[in-house]
Amino acid sequence: MNLSVNIGKLKLKNPVMTASGTFGYGEEYSAFYDISRLGAIVVKGISLEPMEGNPVPRIYETSCGMLNAIGLQNVGLKKFLSEKLPFVRKFDLPLIVNVLGKYADEYAKIVRELSKAGVEAIELNVSCPNVKHGGMEFGTDKKSLAKLLKRMRKLYKGTLIVKLSPKVSNIKEFAVISEGEGADAISLINTIPAMAIDIKTRRPILANRIGGLSGPAIKPIALRMVWEASSAVKIPVIGIGGIMNGADAVEFLLAGATAVQVGTANFINPMACLDVINGIESYMKEQGIEDVKELIGGLIC
Amino acid sequence: MTHLPAKSAIPQTLSQETEIISNNKVNNLHSLLTFSLPSSAQAPLPGQFFMVGLRQGYDPLLKRPLSTFDYENGEVKLLYKIVGKGTKILSDMKPGEKLDILGPLGNTYPMPELYETPIIIAGGIGIASVYYLIKKLPVKPIIIFGARKADELVMLEEVRDYADKVIGCTDDGSMCEQGTVVDMLCKLQSKTDTVLYACGSKGMLRAVSMEALKMGLNGYVSLDEYMACGMGACLGCVTKTDEGYKRICKEGPVFKMDYIDWMNY
């Protein structure tokens, strides 16, 4: 059976990757299994300067999901290059570095340095407020997104992935913009802004008031958006949102995803990524499918 | 006592299935869960906790962090308070039912130096974290054990066997002395060669620590925060310290009392 897929210049041995922010830089989960077995690793997003993150509470469980408002806490570009990059490079799997910024110049600085360091793939987190444009998120502003991507594409020759925001009325438009500006792939969805309230104190539970909802609760929304985006572009789509097992992953592949990212599931089961890979294989065996590429976009409708 | 934060003494932790041996109600708010330590897991040390998965599908989704109350002959005991969805479901589970266990996790309470007198300060369910420590201490400690009311002062009698002296108190005076653990600590007038070990609610820990540090005392606190992964990956369960945010599940849950930024706690 062949599980390999290609995303831009990356050759993945299977279609399963980690979702940024749920797997650190691989340090914690590598204690449980050989993470080289994964298709790829997407590490925690890095910003130019270190970011402290939000006050607590940062997370809260909801029905079949959870809220997070970590606040993009990360070590910053310098420490990433000196400490985290060497660590994660010890593993034999494609590395995708998630990048965030407050304005285009910050993204540019980071991408330039990562390019110099030979990083082969970058996932742009565009769900960040563009502080030089009234705080409007790049990923919800067509002009901003196009401008940013045009600039990043010029700066970077590696595999460029755009992680789309779900906060849009028409995901197809943003998928098309990404493809038009030369992105090698798009990944979606990022978490969905949501809230929880403590009725005893009459206050929001999260210190940040609003957090991103993830987990099984968002799978139906993510799946729909992946299907819509896949129908609008030819570049690979990476599906993210509540994938807990192989069957969930197959749904995304059928909807048009070339690969998937597993995030929240890792918190429930540290071996989740491996279970997803095994689950896809079981399905293929059951259905007599030799190559996972037969499943991609295989939805009958 | 070293001036460094309590260090992690722990190597590998594994995710394993186990079976409930017993799950007995202590009172209408608290239960005591016993299970066999999964075969490839390390024996827990005082201060460490387990992430307990209830196998209820996706609701509740996350595992629950519960302190090691006791560990003996391969059996782990967790004392817990029913505070929400997860603990309510757990309290209704029966012997023979399965759980998914991740752990032991976190660091451990450092033992006192030879010249130090340990004083334990437990607030309500905080007793769940310090009981195992109390049993393992080289000397019998003074224990200050307080709660808002009588039914939150569980294991008070059980803890007497391991104590030099137990000072119980309730905010409303419904049991033992009337007052808070801070009141009792002030009354005690400890000398500076004591080492405090405290666990309880956020409000209690802040009050105890700020008062203790003012009195020239120091020691260790065990903290808690909403957790998702329990193993350091998600950055959800942090606390502010002198050196920025630290993960309660990884750099903690035990921290030096003077290391925590209590003003922002």
Side-chain angles (χ1 to χ4, degrees), chain B residues 13-244:
Chain B
T13 63
L14 282 174
S15 185
Q16 291 273 333
E17 175 187 290
T18 194
E19 201 176 279
I20 296 175
I21 294 172
S22 65
N23 189 18
N24 302 320
K25 290 212 180 322
V26 173
N27 64 20
N28 65 337
L29 272 180
H30 302 81
S31 288
L32 186 65
L33 171 74
T34 306
F35 58 82
S36 285
L37 184 71
S39 53
S40 41
Q42 303 272 341
L45 297 174
Q48 292 197 289
F49 66 99
F50 289 86
M51 289 295 274
V52 180
L54 307 175
R55 295 201 168 187
Q56 299 288 311
Y58 297 151
D59 194 7
L61 186 67
L62 303 173
K63 290 182 165 63
R64 295 327 199 226
L66 297 173
S67 299
T68 308
F69 176 74
D70 200 359
Y71 174 71
E72 216 167 24
N73 303 320
E75 290 186 0
V76 178
K77 284 186 164 43
L78 310 179
L79 175 72
Y80 61 98
K81 185 177 180 185
I82 300 164
V83 296
K85 193 195 281 183
T87 42
K88 174 72 185 75
I89 290 169
L90 181 59
S91 71
D92 291 331
M93 290 178 81
K94 305 272 178 287
E97 287 195 68
K98 302 273 199 307
L99 298 168
D100 285 318
I101 300 296
L102 183 63
L105 299 164
N107 64 0
T108 181
Y109 290 108
M111 285 293 135
E113 304 289 345
L114 285 172
Y115 59 86
E116 288 177 328
T117 309
I119 297 181
I120 308 288
I121 307 173
I125 192 56
I127 194 70
S129 168
V130 291
Y131 185 83
Y132 186 28
L133 167 69
I134 292 164
K135 285 178 75 177
K136 293 290 186 196
L137 284 171
V139 293
K140 286 189 169 185
I142 295 171
I143 301 175
I144 299 173
F145 188 5
R148 272 173 299 192
K149 41 198 174 58
D151 64 358
E152 287 174 357
L153 224 49
V154 289
M155 301 298 180
L156 180 66
E157 293 316 311
E158 285 80 352
V159 99
R160 281 192 202 279
D161 292 340
Y162 303 101
D164 169 28
K165 185 162 126 185
V166 177
I167 303 164
C169 59
T170 44
D171 290 2
D172 64 359
S174 55
M175 192 164 165
C176 303
E177 282 200 60
Q178 203 254 313
T180 66
V181 293
V182 181
D183 297 332
M184 302 303 125
L185 178 65
C186 290
K187 265 202 223 165
L188 208 53
Q189 301 199 322
S190 311
K191 299 178 228 85
T192 52
D193 56 2
T194 53
V195 55
L196 304 177
Y197 295 90
C199 186
S201 69
K202 276 191 143 172
M204 170 248 173
L205 282 175
R206 188 193 301 118
V208 164
S209 302
M210 292 181 85
E211 195 56 45
L213 293 167
K214 233 196 287 178
M215 298 194 292
L217 304 174
N218 208 340
Y220 301 96
V221 292
S222 178
L223 304 183
D224 190 14
E225 188 50 65
Y226 291 119
M227 284 185 190
C229 73
M231 41 178 272
C234 72
L235 306 181
C237 67
V238 298
T239 190
K240 215 148 199 213
T241 72
D242 293 342
E243 293 176 321

Side-chain angles (χ1 to χ4, degrees), chain A residues 123-124 161-165 185-190 236-240 261:
Chain A
E123 180 186 62
L124 290 177
I161 304 165
V162 187
K163 186 167 181 178
L164 297 179
S165 164
I186 51 176
S187 56
L188 65 152
I189 50 172
N190 206 324
V237 175
I238 301 164
I240 322 167
Q261 288 182 7

